[in-house]
Every structure is written in C-alpha cells, then in structure tokens.
Amino acid sequence: MIQEILLPGHLYLGVLAERLHQTLIKLTKKLRYIKALATSKSSDNKLCQGIPKNMEICHVPRIDMEKNTYSLYPGLYLFTTPGRMMRPVKNLMTQQTEFIGTMEQCYLHVCVKPEEFVENKTSHSELYPYSFMSVVACLTPFSEFNQSPRNMYQCQMGKQTMGTPCHSIQNRADNKLYRINFPQSPIVRTKIYDHYKLDDYPLGTNAIVAVVSYSGYDMEDAMILNKSSFERGFAHGMVYSTEIVELNDKSFGSSKGKIFALDPRYPKLGEKLDKDGLPYVGSIIYPGDPFYCYLDQNTGEYRVQNFKKLEKAYIESIRALGSDDGTDPLNKVAIMMSFNRNPIIGDKFSSRHGQKGICSRIYPTEDLPFTESGLTPDIIFNPHGFPSRMTIGMMIEFMAGKSGAIYGTAHDATPFQFEGGQSAIDYYGNLLKKAGYSYYGTESMYSGIHGRQLEVDIFFGVVYYQRLRHMVSDKFQVRTTGPIDVKTHQPVKGRKREGGIRFGEMERDALLAHGTAAVIQDRLLNCSDKTTEKICTRCGSFVSISKKNSHLTCLLCGKNDALSNICIPYVLKYLVAELASVNIRVKFDTTQARITNYSVEP
Amino acid sequence: MTGKNTKTQEEIVHDLRTRVKLEEYGVENTQSTDYPGTYEHYDDSWDFEKFKKNFKIDIKSYSADKMEMEFDMIGIDASIANSFRRILLAEVPTMAIEKVLIYNNTSVIQDEILAHRLGLIPLKAGPSKFKFKLNPEGDNNEDDTLEYELKVKCKMPKNGNKEDRKSFIDSKVLSSHIKWNPIGNQAEQFKEEDVCPVLGDILVAKMNPGQELDLKLLAVKGIGKDHAKFSPVATAYYRLLTEIVLKTDFYDEQAEKLKSCFSPGVIKIVEDKKKEGRTKAVVDNPRLDTCSRQVYMFDEFKGLVEINKIRDHFLFSIESTGAVTCENLMKESINILMMKTQNLLNEINSKKN
C-alpha cells in the first residue's frame, strides 16, 4: 500500500507503508541538515532556498520505540509561523547553532555534556551548561553551590535592587525610579555580566564583609553597617519621581483659564517660587512649603498649592507641557523631583544569594573589629545565616571576592565550571594562601571596643551587596492621635493619611486570651472613639435626648430627672441611630452601669 | 625531643602572662591577666618607675612625606593602645569642607552628591590654627572657617572635535581647581599651599562643553566621630608582634615547605654549620607574618611549631590623610587622652567634696 505524505494541499510524495517510518526519519534528517545550513550566514547553498532557518521540524513517530507504545498524533510537523518561542542549541551534525522550537525539542535528544552523547540518538548539544537558566538566574555567582530555593529567592530579589535603571534619567518622566550613587562592577561575576554589558548598568557594591556576631545588633538577619563607609558613600541612593500638574484638568470639570503665575501680593513667596509660579530648579523643597502658584483668570484670584509629600525633595527639572501645537499658555508642567535615600536603620540589603537583611545599626568604625592589616568591615553578617540556608555559593564568593581584590582581577563565577577537576574552595583557598592569607578565608581580628584579639577567627571577605528598594522611609507608620473618621469617630487607616494600624478581631482574641482587659479597653475605647453621652436611665435611650426650652430633656419620657452621663464608643451611638431609622428601638439597661455623673445639667 | 619540649611550670606561667597563643582554629589567652593577685610570687602592682623602665616606643619606618608611620609600642596594655587607635580615628580634629554654596551647577552630577564628594577631599589646612565653629549658622570668622571657590567651565577647543573627549578644556574637574579665598587676616597667616587640597588630582566631576560649576566651599574644623571626612587618618591600627617558635630543626625540603607556610621573609633558609651540605630553616623576620597559620594544616609540623603573639608589643601603624603629620597625630591623640583622663579626675574629685 502506498502512504501519502501531504503538505498543505499538495501531494509531496508517496511511499510504501512499510517504508514510511524509515522515509520520515530520513526526510527529517535531511530537512534538519538543510535548516542548519541555512542558519550559517556564509551558506549560499541552493538547497537552503525555501527552508527558513527558524522552521520547526518535529517528527512524531507512529510507534515510540523506547516505550513501545503508539503515539497519539504521529506525523511530521513543520512550523514556520511567526511568534513561536525558539532557543539556540548546537547541531552536532553540522556543528552549527540551530534554533529549535518548543514541540520540536520534545522529540530531540539534546545532551549537555559530551559524556551524555548516545550514538544514533543524540542530535544536538546545549551551547552552555547554564543555558537552561534565565538571565536573572545567571547573575548569581556560584549558584550551583547554593541550596536551590535560595537561588529562587535571589531571582526575586535581583529585580528589586536599586541599581542603574538607565542613563537618560534627565530626559525621562518616570513615576518612580530608584538609583544608587556609587555603584561598582562586581569582582566576582558570571559570563552573563559581560555578554549583556551589565557593567554599564551596575547594581551593587563590593562590600567588605565579616561573618561575626558582634554587639548583638546583627541578630536574626539584621546587619551592621560601618558608619564611615556609609559617610564615604556606601550604598547611597536616591529616588526620582515626577509629578504632572495640570491646572485645567477636564476630568475634574474645572474651567479653562488657569495659568501658572506668582502671587505678587506676597513677596515672601518669591523666596521659594520663581516668577512663573513654579519652584526654582535645584532648590530644596520641604513638606508644607509652597509647591506652585497659579492665577485663575476667571476670578482673578491667585492660589498657592503646598507640597504634600512627606519628605524633603530636590527639584531636578520642570518641563512645560501643553497642547500639541504649543499655543496654550503655561498650565501643564511635569515637575521631576529627587529624594535622598541614603541608608538608614531599617533599609534592606541583600547579597546575590538570597541572603537579605535589614540594617539594624550604623556602627562607628572605631567600634568595629579590625584585621591584622587594619581593615574594618563595611557590613557585619551574622554567622547564623549560613547553617540552615546552606548558601555555600556565598561563602565561595567571600573567598573569590577576597582573592580578586588582593590580586586585582575579576573572577569568573559562572556556574558548573568547577565540575570534575579541582574544587572551587581549593582553588580560591590556594590563591588566598599564596597571598599570605588563611586558606580557609578566615582572619584573626581585634575587637574595636576593648582592643584585644578576638578568640575566634573571623570569616572575612568581599561580597557584592545589593541595596533593595524596600526602605523604611516609604513604610514607617506612626500615630499617637490624628485624623478620625467623620461617621464613626474612629481613627482612619492608611499611612498617607497619618492613620493607624487596624486592631482587628484576632488581635482582640489574643488580648482576651491573655486576660488583659485593660489593654483591650485602652485599644478599643480610650485610644479609639471614646465619647461621653447623656442617657435617660428611665427609658434607657440616648438618641431621644434633646434640648427643649434650653433644657436637656428625654423626648420619650418628657422629663429630665433621670439623665446621666455614660461613657460609650461613638460607633455605638451611630449604630443606635441607624437602627432607629429602621424603627428598631435599642434600650439600655443602666442598672448595672457605673454611672459617672448624676447631676442634671441646667 | 620530648624532653626538650616539655615546659616547666614557670615557663607555662610566663607564657600565660605574656603570650597570646595562636592555635589552629582559634586564639587563646587573649586577655591580660597580670593584675595584682592573679599569680603567686609576682608583683603586678602598678608602679610608675617600673612602667617607665618597660615602656618603649621604637619607630620602625617613617615615610619621607611624613604620611605613613609604623612604630612599635612596647610595655602597654591593649586598652591604652586601643584608646590611641580610637582617638586617632574619631577624635583628632581636622578641617574639611562642610558647606557648599551652589550658585550654578549645570553638570550632570546632582548638587547634593557633588557636595558630598567635595566634603571628602582632604585639606592641608592645619587644624591646630583654627577653632571649632560653635554656631553652625553663625558668621564665618577668620579663626574658624576657610573659604574656597570652585569655578570651572568646560569649553570646546577651537576647531575641536565633538567626539574627542580628551581635547575638551576642563572636562575633568579636579581638586586642583579649588581656589582659596582668604577671609580677614588669613592672607597674612597662610599661603595657598598651606590650606589647599592635599592632592590635586582628585576627580570631582566630569563635564561636557558648555557645562559649568560655580561653587563657594566653606571648610570648618570637626572630628571623625561626627563625619568620616574629619578623620585625620586613612587608617590607624595595630597588631601584636608574632613570635614563631620552632621546637625542632627543619632541614632541606621540609625547611622549604615550612618557609612556604609563612609570608615571604618570615622564614630564612640558611646553611647548617654543624651538618655540611644541609640547609636549615630559621625564623628571620616574624613582623612580616600575616598570621595565616598555614603551618597547622600539615600534620608534620603539628606540635613542632608554636605561634604566639606578644601581648604587650604593639606594631602600630598610622596613615595620615595629609593634614597633620603622623608624629603630630600621635602627640595630639596623647593630649586628647590626657585631657579626657584629667576631666575624669576632676569629675571624681568634685564628687568627693
């Protein structure tokens, strides 16, 4: 029987059924050969014409020889459509780079190492052993030594670093842009750093790190920063933000005719704002300062808008925006500001191994331990961060970074390069040993506080540290008293509004379990919506009390002889009023209540 | 061999009193124990004459520009040596730029970063000739403030090429561009080279043609505790003198191996006079040792080599930033320590009455 091989609409060839399998294998091989040839630039082989270099050739055999089962949809599939994901591998037949697709690769045997090659089966090999990893994953040095979840954490955190987002900050108007001021190229780096030219966009600093429990401020993932390093610029950063001010914003329904202008009646305003009613470029503006001033031409009134942000800002630039034809008067501007974000207690840092930490203290240099060569660490990292997390890659980075700093070279830390031969620890240990340092990367240190030598050797080295964009100045919340909700008289929520943090049912439950009734009363009543209300002890109502002939009277009883003060949460009054509106009367039994004041107001 | 290596009771006590012992994985006897009453048959009471006899300062090296000094301080407790180190780092005053008045800055570097960079430039001005400025908002007086000016404009040379960055005039703003403006009688007191930046080639900013800086800089006196820029030293630190005891002789290959375990220059190979044709390892200069303790990694040396540190022998080293010479820094730190102890004494005496 003749089997037909069809390409869309056309009979391509017909073969005998029993030879179909062999023919398809041959055909696939041939197609792949031509495709691989087409990939190489120099090829002007006539064979390649008509075969795109990004064609996906997928042969699904009728019978899976290995499992000895029938395939579901056998056939030879060819894809040439755009929008498919493809990746480069090496074609072992032609020794050229070939792009393979997602379906195609399921039916190919791709080896990673030469040892994995199987005769008559392996057709491709990976270009690099780390080909399976993404760009962010490739940024972790010595990642093959780390426990795998740590590498995943680093992939998350790598995206949160304050780095160098672009070189065109002056010309941009981003809502928020984080940037560090004195970045460095890492000493310990993978090949990807060069391939993607990441030195043009550095995202950290080579920090001198000591692994020691010093002063207790480095407990539980906290880290101590050296005050002198900080003062010399370590991890200094800034945040840019742009505010677009549109005076005649149609969405607010305001009419036309507002323009930026300085109010001439207040000469003091001129100290902060320029003649055009906008702040001076380069000036510092504090919360509450005048931000801009405008004139409403309809009413002839000047208005000053104050600066609402909670931090001081530097005015970087002001750009006049407006209609496309540029004929509108000045009524729309983009004001770019920068905020100083030098490290403070509570800021987040991380190495490249999923080891994040919070700066818990900025410690004076003279108090920090120093080595035999007089070096004080920039960062103190707590040794308890290592045993449970098993980030051996970070320990190797310590040693590699240290030896790189000593010899003045950058070390290649691409994963999977230390397989088989010498171990990474031995390699860097020997480098350190040759330079006169301890093979293990440790150093004896002296306490900066009492001046004696420390009784243990300290693991000491250079690690590339990233500053993460989570900063306390964006997050801290503080409230003693402040704005309250109009309806309930309870504290409002939200950091921006100077609100409180919700004390919810679960928190209440916890305090109940502790039996701390006074604390509950403090949280839920005294610090919340405590009010004193008049109540009629006879009818048990406090919504019925009103002034009658300038005397407080209970409108239900028509008398005022049973009025007294009672202390309640304001929401209770609100609830009773709401219930009254749907004809539900709430009656309070005050016989048990501790009545505070019996006297009836005149 | 064993007979030679067992120590007498007296030797053990002596070691305990004067040596810090470096073991393979740690350090022992770091604390000084020579207080009165700790040991029998020893008189550890403090005596000035005894101290005078034991105390020694020995300057080992002093660079010609007086910026680096290494000296030995012998016969003193770690707490005192550490006090000097701490005072040098944090309490000896210098002058540094504290305020930057920006009249114009069209370069890409932000005002506040530029000001921070300028603050860190070390100045030659001698701090002893100035007073602390007590009121930071007050007037700038001749005895507490130095005024400088940094006025640079980057220009394109005539027929210059846009691509050729190196040809731009004043594209790099260096510390040598900082000019001094004398106030009051300062012009009679100082010369420009007395108060200018220590180094003229510190890069402050980079500019493109057309960009300019116009700044007034005000330097005041301060201490390192307030800000690292006032610290007079690049670093000041000490370490203890290493003592390497070879309990047995090492010859030929073993000697070479021993030598490789220490920093270069620590162990010397000499020809053995007693045994001809054989070379022997001897300790040459233990000062150079970095205490890596490689020697303990080999079983063949274990127990045969002892590394100690002499507890009251400090190898002190000071690197000045340039304002004050090392010797004056040390003198100043001694003065400050004396002042502090005097203050404490006065405090105690006033409470007594």
Side-chain angles (χ1 to χ4, degrees):
Chain A
M1 196 186 119
I2 299 282
Q3 279 275 341
E4 291 172 348
I5 295 179
L6 292 165
L7 285 176
H10 300 279
L11 177 70
Y12 190 67
L13 62 129
V15 286
L16 283 168
E18 57 268 33
R19 290 177 59 193
L20 180 66
H21 182 67
Q22 284 306 318
T23 315
L24 278 177
I25 288 178
K26 266 189 194 167
L27 182 63
T28 317
K29 223 175 186 177
K30 188 132 199 172
L31 280 172
R32 191 170 300 289
Y33 178 69
I34 300 167
K35 176 191 168 190
L37 277 185
T39 316
S40 72
K41 281 178 206 157
S42 58
S43 166
D44 47 18
N45 200 321
K46 272 188 189 163
L47 261 175
C48 309
Q49 284 173 358
I51 303 265
K53 61 181 178 185
N54 52 15
M55 184 168 76
E56 204 169 326
I57 306 155
C58 179
H59 173 217
V60 183
R62 189 174 291 256
I63 298 164
D64 189 329
M65 290 305 195
E66 251 171 53
K67 294 175 196 155
N68 216 7
T69 51
Y70 284 96
S71 300
L72 194 53
Y73 296 110
L76 177 67
Y77 296 89
L78 303 175
F79 302 88
T80 53
T81 49
R84 285 167 298 116
M85 288 202 285
M86 305 200 78
R87 69 189 191 91
V89 289
K90 195 163 113 188
N91 187 319
L92 291 174
M93 192 160 50
T94 63
Q95 293 293 316
Q96 269 154 351
T97 307
E98 181 192 339
F99 281 83
I100 60 170
T102 44
M103 184 166 173
E104 175 177 32
Q105 71 172 2
C106 300
Y107 295 92
L108 292 176
H109 196 264
V110 185
C111 69
V112 182
K113 293 185 246 170
E115 303 96 90
E116 292 169 355
F117 182 82
V118 181
E119 195 69 49
N120 288 331
K121 202 169 159 198
T122 309
S123 55
H124 294 80
S125 81
E126 296 287 355
L127 290 179
Y128 312 104
Y130 54 88
S131 290
F132 70 99
M133 290 199 292
S134 65
V135 177
V136 262
C138 281
L139 293 183
T140 308
F142 303 116
S143 55
E144 81 270 36
F145 295 96
N146 284 335
Q147 188 204 11
S148 84
R150 290 289 141 193
N151 287 332
M152 308 301 289
Y153 293 145
Q154 168 53 28
C155 291
Q156 276 298 314
M157 275 188 297
K159 293 179 267 183
Q160 300 172 15
T161 49
M162 282 175 92
T164 316
C166 56
H167 295 296
S168 52
I169 289 174
Q170 290 96 337
N171 309 315
R172 293 173 64 104
D174 295 80
N175 232 342
K176 215 158 198 199
L177 216 60
Y178 294 84
R179 178 194 181 180
I180 43 170
N181 289 339
F182 300 103
Q184 290 173 348
S185 158
I187 293 177
V188 182
R189 51 204 291 135
T190 58
K191 289 199 177 81
I192 285 286
Y193 280 83
D194 292 324
H195 186 261
Y196 288 107
K197 304 224 168 18
L198 277 169
D199 279 352
D200 291 344
Y201 299 91
L203 50 128
T205 322
N206 294 299
I208 311 283
V209 188
V211 183
V212 57
S213 192
Y214 200 77
S215 80
Y217 276 99
D218 55 352
M219 265 192 281
E220 292 283 337
D221 276 352
M223 37 173 269
I224 297 168
L225 231 57
N226 183 332
K227 182 164 171 278
S228 286
S229 311
F230 153 68
E231 283 165 352
R232 291 182 174 120
F234 179 78
H236 279 198
M238 58 207 307
V239 175
Y240 289 95
S241 90
T242 309
E243 204 168 306
I244 292 174
V245 184
E246 195 172 358
L247 293 178
N248 301 323
D249 197 347
K250 278 171 203 139
S251 58
F252 285 109
S254 63
S255 56
K256 278 198 167 184
K258 288 175 187 164
I259 53 163
F260 285 109
L262 187 66
D263 193 342
R265 287 172 300 168
Y266 302 105
K268 267 220 152 176
L269 212 55
E271 288 171 16
K272 294 279 181 186
L273 302 180
D274 209 346
K275 273 178 278 181
D276 54 7
L278 293 163
Y280 295 100
V281 172
S283 66
I284 303 175
I285 179 164
Y286 292 91
D289 273 0
F291 192 32
Y292 58 86
C293 180
Y294 64 89
L295 169 69
D296 191 339
Q297 287 171 315
N298 304 318
T299 58
E301 270 177 50
Y302 286 94
R303 285 270 164 81
V304 176
Q305 183 70 48
N306 286 340
F307 189 51
K308 278 187 196 145
K309 294 251 165 71
L310 301 169
E311 287 173 276
K312 79 166 186 188
Y314 297 85
I315 304 295
E316 287 289 318
S317 72
I318 297 177
R319 269 164 282 187
L321 311 172
S323 60
D324 290 337
D325 51 8
T327 52
D328 268 15
L330 183 62
N331 60 40
K332 190 177 176 185
V333 290
I335 303 175
M336 180 152 89
M337 294 161 285
S338 73
F339 299 90
N340 177 301
R341 285 303 168 83
N342 293 345
I344 49 167
I345 292 173
D347 283 356
K348 200 172 171 186
F349 292 81
S350 140
S351 75
R352 286 176 294 175
H353 305 268
Q355 290 274 27
K356 58 183 176 213
I358 301 292
C359 166
S360 61
R361 182 93 198 255
I362 297 178
Y363 225 68
T365 342
E366 65 265 25
D367 288 342
L368 289 170
F370 57 99
T371 67
E372 290 273 325
S373 48
L375 224 58
T376 42
D378 293 324
I379 287 173
I380 289 185
F381 180 84
N382 194 287
H384 293 95
F386 280 130
S388 58
R389 298 188 190 141
M390 295 181 278
T391 53
I392 309 304
M394 181 163 164
M395 295 172 124
I396 297 170
E397 194 193 334
F398 264 92
M399 297 172 71
K402 189 169 163 180
S403 68
I406 295 163
Y407 290 100
T409 54
H411 280 305
D412 183 15
T414 313
F416 311 114
Q417 53 168 337
F418 278 104
E419 290 199 340
Q422 194 183 19
S423 76
I425 294 164
D426 193 45
Y427 176 75
Y428 293 112
N430 278 322
L431 281 180
L432 290 175
K433 187 178 157 185
K434 268 183 203 150
Y437 286 84
S438 159
Y439 175 87
Y440 301 106
T442 56
E443 275 181 60
S444 59
M445 292 185 98
Y446 297 83
S447 165
I449 293 166
H450 51 68
R452 292 182 300 229
Q453 215 172 342
L454 299 179
E455 288 189 357
V456 283
D457 284 359
I458 306 301
F459 195 55
F460 196 84
V462 180
V463 180
Y464 197 61
Y465 256 81
Q466 303 160 318
R467 173 115 190 260
L468 303 185
R469 52 203 287 176
H470 301 283
M471 285 168 284
V472 265
S473 34
D474 296 321
K475 301 192 167 173
F476 73 94
Q477 219 171 19
V478 135
R479 179 190 168 106
T480 43
T481 53
I484 53 168
D485 189 80
V486 198
K487 223 181 237 175
T488 63
H489 284 204
Q490 290 177 347
V492 294
K493 64 176 177 182
R495 196 182 88 89
K496 262 191 187 162
R497 278 172 286 172
E498 222 187 303
I501 292 174
R502 185 183 156 85
F503 185 88
E505 297 100 295
M506 292 174 79
E507 288 76 12
R508 183 205 66 138
D509 293 346
L511 290 192
L512 280 179
H514 278 275
T516 49
V519 179
I520 293 188
Q521 192 177 41
D522 181 64
R523 288 294 97 200
L524 296 176
L525 186 68
N526 299 339
C527 295
S528 182
D529 55 345
K530 184 182 186 179
T531 40
T532 312
E533 274 302 319
K534 294 277 180 310
I535 190 164
C536 175
T537 49
R538 186 184 298 117
C539 64
S541 159
F542 51 66
V543 283
S544 63
I545 293 162
S546 184
K547 259 188 185 161
K548 198 177 177 188
N549 304 331
S550 75
H551 284 284
L552 281 174
T553 319
C554 174
L555 298 179
L556 278 174
C557 308
K559 291 173 186 168
N560 64 359
D561 56 344
L563 293 190
S564 64
N565 286 328
I566 191 168
C567 183
I568 50 154
Y570 187 84
V571 261
L572 180 63
K573 193 186 172 191
Y574 176 68
L575 174 73
V576 171
E578 286 262 297
L579 289 173
S581 74
V582 288
N583 268 341
I584 298 173
R585 179 180 165 190
V586 182
K587 192 174 173 182
F588 289 88
D589 180 4
T590 52
T591 49
Q592 299 286 309
R594 201 176 65 193
I595 304 293
T596 51
N597 186 4
Y598 280 93
S599 70
V600 177
E601 272 181 50
Chain B
M1 204 158 33
T2 46
K4 192 181 155 192
N5 285 323
T6 41
K7 284 180 178 169
T8 62
Q9 189 74 26
E10 217 164 275
E11 279 172 331
I12 291 170
V13 172
H14 179 260
D15 275 4
L16 213 59
R17 285 169 56 86
T18 62
R19 298 289 186 269
V20 175
K21 206 161 186 270
L22 298 190
E23 299 284 357
E24 187 174 358
Y25 298 112
V27 186
E28 279 176 15
N29 306 330
T30 56
Q31 268 170 308
S32 41
T33 46
D34 49 350
Y35 301 117
T38 318
Y39 301 101
E40 249 183 305
H41 316 304
Y42 282 94
D43 177 22
D44 283 324
S45 57
W46 200 81
D47 177 57
F48 182 64
E49 287 307 317
K50 205 164 76 183
F51 173 75
K52 220 164 123 182
K53 208 182 96 198
N54 288 335
F55 184 69
K56 219 172 101 187
I57 281 193
D58 188 2
I59 296 173
K60 289 287 175 187
S61 73
Y62 195 13
S63 69
D65 58 356
K66 303 198 168 183
M67 290 303 127
E68 277 171 56
M69 179 157 78
E70 210 183 313
F71 61 92
D72 287 12
M73 198 189 265
I74 309 158
I76 204 165
D77 192 71
S79 52
I80 309 288
N82 190 39
S83 302
F84 289 132
R85 186 191 69 90
R86 291 171 61 92
I87 289 168
L88 279 168
L89 283 170
E91 280 169 82
V92 177
T94 57
M95 303 289 284
I97 293 165
E98 172 76 0
K99 272 189 183 158
V100 179
L101 310 180
I102 295 172
Y103 298 109
N104 198 4
N105 170 19
T106 52
S107 72
V108 285
I109 190 164
Q110 291 86 351
D111 296 349
E112 66 273 22
I113 298 168
L114 183 69
H116 171 245
R117 288 179 73 84
L118 287 165
L120 292 171
I121 296 173
L123 303 174
K124 266 189 197 163
S128 55
K129 296 181 180 113
F130 295 90
K131 286 180 188 160
F132 284 103
K133 191 172 180 181
L134 298 173
N135 177 14
E137 304 303 322
D139 290 338
N140 302 321
N141 297 321
E142 57 196 25
D143 59 351
D144 61 14
T145 310
L146 279 168
E147 197 182 292
Y148 300 87
E149 187 186 68
L150 181 59
K151 216 170 179 176
V152 191
K153 187 167 186 179
C154 179
K155 287 185 201 108
M156 181 92 89
K158 273 182 190 169
N159 314 319
N161 182 2
K162 237 186 185 172
E163 301 298 312
D164 185 15
R165 287 194 61 91
K166 277 180 187 163
S167 72
F168 298 164
I169 299 160
D170 287 338
S171 166
K172 286 178 177 172
V173 182
L174 302 174
S175 51
S176 56
H177 283 112
I178 298 174
K179 293 283 166 286
W180 174 52
N181 278 345
I183 39 178
N185 67 351
Q186 282 179 347
E188 295 136 44
Q189 265 190 301
F190 308 106
K191 277 181 250 155
E192 168 112 33
E193 56 263 35
D194 295 335
V195 291
C196 67
V198 174
L199 298 166
D201 57 352
I202 300 171
L203 184 66
V204 176
K206 280 187 178 180
M207 297 199 289
N208 259 349
Q211 298 178 334
E212 64 173 302
L213 288 178
D214 184 2
L215 320 169
K216 196 161 108 180
L217 319 170
L218 298 171
V220 297
K221 189 173 170 178
I223 58 171
K225 232 184 217 176
D226 286 338
H227 196 284
K229 69 185 173 188
F230 291 117
S231 183
V233 290
T235 186
Y237 72 100
Y238 59 77
R239 58 204 172 98
L240 295 172
L241 179 69
T242 316
E243 177 197 57
I244 299 162
V245 185
L246 305 178
K247 291 185 180 172
T248 174
D249 291 338
F250 298 102
Y251 293 102
D252 304 331
E253 276 170 34
Q254 221 184 2
E256 284 295 337
K257 193 169 179 184
L258 186 76
K259 190 182 167 187
S260 73
C261 288
F262 291 93
S263 308
V266 176
I267 301 283
K268 194 167 63 174
I269 309 269
V270 290
E271 262 181 42
D272 198 343
K273 281 166 193 163
K274 288 177 205 159
K275 295 174 186 168
E276 228 162 86
R278 297 193 75 182
T279 52
K280 188 179 144 187
V282 284
V283 179
D284 184 22
N285 188 0
R287 295 175 68 88
L288 298 173
D289 190 44
T290 50
C291 296
S292 63
R293 278 169 278 166
Q294 295 305 327
V295 71
Y296 292 135
M297 282 178 70
F298 301 103
D299 287 335
E300 56 187 297
F301 296 129
K302 270 183 193 163
L304 301 179
V305 179
E306 200 178 276
I307 308 176
N308 294 324
K309 294 203 150 193
I310 300 166
R311 195 182 287 123
D312 63 350
H313 192 134
F314 296 95
L315 315 180
F316 221 99
S317 91
I318 303 175
E319 256 176 65
S320 167
T321 55
V324 190
T325 60
C326 290
E327 55 189 284
N328 286 340
L329 277 177
M330 195 62 208
K331 282 178 198 161
E332 189 59 26
S333 72
I334 294 166
N335 283 338
I336 290 170
L337 185 62
M338 276 162 65
M339 210 169 67
K340 287 181 146 198
T341 45
Q342 193 57 54
N343 282 346
L344 181 69
L345 264 181
N346 294 345
E347 197 89 339
I348 294 167
N349 289 337
S350 69
K351 291 273 148 42
K352 226 191 259 171
N353 303 328

